[in-house]
Amino acid sequence: TDGMLNIVSPLDPITSIEIFDVRGRKLNNVSVNGQGSFAIDISELETAIYFISVTTETGSITKRIVKK
């Protein structure tokens, strides 16, 4: 991705979104209001691999992204 990251959770409302670097340091904690989709601006991040942790009411998932 280059600038915007779209996250969609059609079944459960999202409770939190966190961005981590490869070393495991938390870079950002995105404020959420319980909706099912969000667009996060990651244009200020450097070119690297990041991990996005999305937590819903029923669980959480972590995905890897590559910032170009």
Side-chain angles (χ1 to χ4, degrees):
T1 186
D2 282 333
M4 294 299 288
L5 179 66
N6 295 313
I7 299 174
V8 177
S9 175
L11 301 177
D12 295 320
I14 297 172
T15 57
S16 70
I17 300 171
E18 298 173 321
I19 302 174
F20 299 91
D21 66 3
V22 174
R23 295 182 185 177
R25 297 178 294 187
K26 187 189 301 186
L27 302 176
N28 197 355
N29 189 8
V30 180
S31 300
V32 296
N33 56 5
Q35 295 180 351
S37 65
F38 290 93
I40 301 172
D41 182 15
I42 59 170
S43 61
E44 73 276 357
L45 297 177
E46 295 180 12
T47 300
I49 296 173
Y50 296 95
F51 296 93
I52 308 296
S53 178
V54 179
T55 304
T56 66
E57 293 177 354
T58 59
S60 66
I61 188 167
T62 302
K63 292 289 186 174
R64 180 184 63 209
I65 64 165
V66 177
K67 168 70 168 65
K68 294 183 181 181

